[in-house]
Amino acid sequence: MLVIPGQPGKDLCDRNLGVTRRDLLRIGGSGLLGLTLGSMFRLQAQASEGQAAGRPGWGKAKSIIMCYLQGGPSHLDLWDPKENVPDNVRSAFSSISTKLPGVQFTENLPQLAQVNDKFTLIRSMSYTPNGLFNHTAAIYQMMTGYTTDKVSPSGQLEPPNSKDFPNFGSQLVRLRPPTEPMLPFVMLPRPLQESNVVGKGGTAGFLGKSFDPYTLYPDGDDMDMNKMDRIRIDDLQLRPEVFADRLERRAELRQLIDSGMPAIEQAVEQYKLDEYYDRALSLVISGRAREAFDLQREPAALRDRYGRNTFGQSCLLARRLVEAGTRVVELIWPKVANSDNHSWDHHVGLTERMKNRSAPMLDAGLTALIQDLDDRGLLDETLVVAVGEFGRSPQKGVSTSGNGNSADGRDHWPYCYTAVIAGAGIKRGYVHGKSDKTGSAPLEDPVHPGQLLATIYHAFGIDPATIVYNHLNQPRELVKSEAVPQLFA
């Protein structure tokens, strides 16, 4: 007897799979009819997507810009200030009004305060009940939807490997490949990193290197604010592990680009092109990526609005990339955690560092990005997300993660923080959730990082419960969470 269940199962440990033990027994003989377990999962996913298709926000997004505020910005000192709290909780910064009545930011975000009628503020992000106080562990979950138990003796996660769960961007370009001859997934201007662990949560993992992001990491250290001016068009190189070895004399091919299209076509006539090689060649020939990377094409006044610094110019480049057809841009905050100056990891010297370094760059860059996308009509189909791996402790000068903190510093705090999300069907001028009086925990409508990822997948018309097979050929959901429907208009 063959039964295709229409409703999620009630008696499995993992209910999201939607199959009961009785259904599994019934499906056991279905191989005789040509229906494998994988086929069953695909049919179930199709049925689930059919149900979701009519829900708000489904399939509105064509691209996403993830502004990843690595380091964990303090929600209390940016966009969730608190009044009438003890001195060791209260922000040193004054509160200011915004475009939304009754919604206040701190004085650090005067420009964002004037465009918050264009985005949704989630003030109830939370890892409750299990907090992840380690940067790398929290980054990995935010980017993949999964946690890992593989840690080194120092408490850090192990380096990236082929068994990792894929970054959400890799999943998106696998399930929604771009239609233009353009880089599908770009990560800039630096990798995800904590201490010596570089790139964890930022690769395609078990999907394979063909779905890895194209990484644009300009030369220069993190304090070099002009590094984006030194992007060279010939930085766009074909990755040999992705696009095959059959493209010989790649340097000569790049030189032929400038001498004309016929020469390029003649140079590759003798090759039998596979899928990845063909895609790469189309990308190089089209010139779309080379032009998108050329920030000099933008008016000086607009570049000034974004901010003449690494974050601001990366935001501008992200807009140019999605405009040219890139599906996913992950913009990593250009200063690693566990460092000083404009890092968001404010264990010490929070007041001076936030006021004069990190906050002004965020305020100008994110404001200009949202406004610019909206002015060009791109915000309707471009999802913009700005979020860190966690927030900062409500009480100053206390240790929550084993780190030392000055009286003017806040430690890691995964139990309550804030995210910004805009575009592609997301409500405008909306505040979702509410933190308690000290910003310690959600008072209303908590949103787990997995739910944020599920919301992103939903916006692209992808069921978060879609099955993907890991390196052991085991079925896994994209993320074990559901989208937050209240975020969509």
Side-chain angles (χ1 to χ4, degrees):
M1 178 179 182
L2 177 63
V3 175
I4 304 298
Q7 298 295 327
K10 305 299 184 182
D11 55 346
L12 275 180
C13 294
D14 191 348
R15 298 181 180 181
N16 290 331
L17 292 178
V19 188
T20 68
R21 282 191 290 267
R22 179 176 299 175
D23 291 322
L24 285 173
L25 289 173
R26 289 173 174 172
I27 209 71
S30 63
L32 297 174
L33 299 179
L35 182 64
T36 65
L37 187 59
S39 300
M40 185 194 70
F41 283 138
R42 284 192 293 272
L43 288 173
Q44 185 179 354
Q46 292 170 3
S48 181
E49 287 192 4
Q51 295 173 1
R55 296 173 185 169
W58 177 261
K60 295 288 187 179
K62 292 184 179 179
S63 57
I64 179 172
I65 299 172
M66 165 68 83
C67 296
Y68 195 63
L69 311 181
Q70 181 179 330
S74 171
H75 52 299
L76 293 159
D77 297 294
L78 290 173
W79 26 43
D80 195 8
K82 300 296 181 181
E83 304 294 338
N84 303 316
V85 292
D87 290 343
N88 68 338
V89 174
R90 182 182 300 109
S91 173
F93 306 111
S94 300
S95 297
I96 61 172
S97 298
T98 69
K99 290 290 286 292
L100 302 180
V103 178
Q104 292 190 318
F105 290 171
T106 70
E107 60 185 296
N108 287 316
L109 302 177
Q111 296 184 60
L112 273 173
Q114 294 307 304
V115 296
N116 71 330
D117 58 337
K118 298 179 183 295
F119 59 77
T120 279
L121 197 69
I122 306 174
R123 279 179 164 167
S124 54
M125 293 296 300
S126 178
Y127 285 89
T128 303
N130 297 315
L132 294 173
F133 285 88
N134 174 280
H135 286 288
T136 320
I139 290 169
Y140 187 83
Q141 180 163 63
M142 178 66 75
M143 289 296 180
T144 70
Y146 285 83
T147 57
T148 178
D149 57 1
K150 295 289 186 180
V151 296
S152 68
S154 67
Q156 304 296 312
L157 296 191
E158 292 181 344
N161 61 70
S162 59
K163 300 177 183 179
D164 284 346
F165 276 91
N167 181 284
F168 78 91
S170 299
Q171 300 278 31
L172 284 176
V173 298
R174 180 181 68 90
L175 295 168
R176 295 290 183 269
T179 57
E180 304 288 346
M182 184 57 187
L183 292 164
F185 179 11
V186 177
M187 184 176 288
L188 73 157
R190 69 169 346 277
L192 295 164
Q193 178 180 351
E194 184 191 11
S195 299
N196 294 324
V197 181
V198 181
K200 192 69 171 180
T203 73
F206 60 68
L207 290 182
K209 289 184 176 295
S210 61
F211 295 104
D212 274 349
Y214 175 83
T215 56
L216 180 72
Y217 304 151
D219 294 335
D221 63 31
D222 288 350
M223 291 306 295
D224 185 347
M225 294 292 101
N226 298 314
K227 64 170 61 179
M228 302 304 289
D229 289 335
R230 296 196 299 275
I231 296 174
R232 299 194 310 270
I233 293 176
D234 62 0
D235 281 343
L236 185 59
Q237 299 178 6
L238 304 183
R239 300 179 60 171
E241 72 271 24
V242 175
F243 297 118
D245 294 329
R246 280 176 284 178
L247 181 56
E248 300 174 354
R249 298 174 301 171
R250 293 186 301 154
E252 293 182 17
L253 182 59
R254 287 196 298 273
Q255 293 174 1
L256 287 172
I257 293 173
D258 294 331
S259 64
M261 293 286 291
I264 296 175
E265 294 172 352
Q266 182 179 0
V268 299
E269 279 180 351
Q270 60 184 302
Y271 297 105
K272 181 180 179 182
L273 306 181
D274 64 20
E275 177 185 359
Y276 298 127
Y277 181 89
D278 190 37
R279 189 185 309 166
L281 186 59
S282 297
L283 170 63
V284 173
I285 290 175
S286 76
R288 294 173 70 96
R290 300 194 308 279
E291 293 177 2
F293 282 123
D294 189 359
L295 290 174
Q296 302 300 324
R297 293 172 177 263
E298 294 291 338
L302 183 61
R303 296 191 67 182
D304 291 341
R305 275 178 51 199
Y306 273 89
R308 296 281 185 158
N309 55 67
T310 307
F311 178 75
Q313 297 304 292
S314 294
C315 285
L316 176 55
L317 181 54
R319 189 225 80 204
R320 290 182 59 83
L321 287 169
V322 299
E323 197 170 29
T326 293
R327 184 75 76 201
V328 180
V329 179
E330 286 189 22
L331 196 172
I332 313 301
W333 186 257
K335 194 71 166 77
V336 70
N338 297 331
S339 60
D340 54 7
N341 293 298
H342 59 269
S343 165
W344 289 112
D345 203 15
H346 291 137
H347 292 280
V348 298
L350 182 150
T351 302
E352 190 277 331
R353 288 168 57 191
M354 180 172 281
K355 180 178 181 179
N356 299 322
R357 306 181 197 185
S358 49
M361 291 191 293
L362 172 66
D363 190 41
L366 186 56
T367 299
L369 175 63
I370 292 173
Q371 184 70 64
D372 197 10
L373 287 169
D374 199 29
D375 290 345
R376 294 168 184 268
L378 294 172
L379 195 60
D380 292 340
E381 56 188 32
T382 303
L383 203 61
V384 179
V385 180
V387 65
E389 60 266 36
F390 38 56
R392 310 303 292 187
S393 59
Q395 294 186 53
K396 303 175 187 177
V398 302
S399 178
T400 61
S401 65
N403 288 285
N405 300 271
S406 70
D408 187 29
R410 300 184 192 267
D411 209 336
H412 308 166
W413 194 257
Y415 295 123
C416 190
Y417 57 109
T418 298
V420 164
I421 184 168
I426 295 295
K427 289 178 180 175
R428 291 175 175 242
Y430 172 60
V431 178
H432 183 81
K434 181 180 180 182
S435 61
D436 63 17
K437 65 180 182 180
T438 60
S440 302
L443 198 61
E444 301 172 359
D445 300 320
V447 177
H448 189 275
Q451 291 178 281
L452 182 61
L453 284 184
T455 299
I456 292 172
Y457 287 128
H458 177 94
F460 277 86
I462 301 170
D463 186 352
T466 296
I467 294 298
V468 59
Y469 290 87
N470 67 10
H471 61 289
L472 298 176
N473 205 31
Q474 298 167 324
R476 295 289 184 267
E477 301 95 326
L478 291 179
V479 62
K480 295 182 179 181
S481 297
E482 295 183 355
V484 183
Q486 298 94 320
L487 300 178
F488 294 101

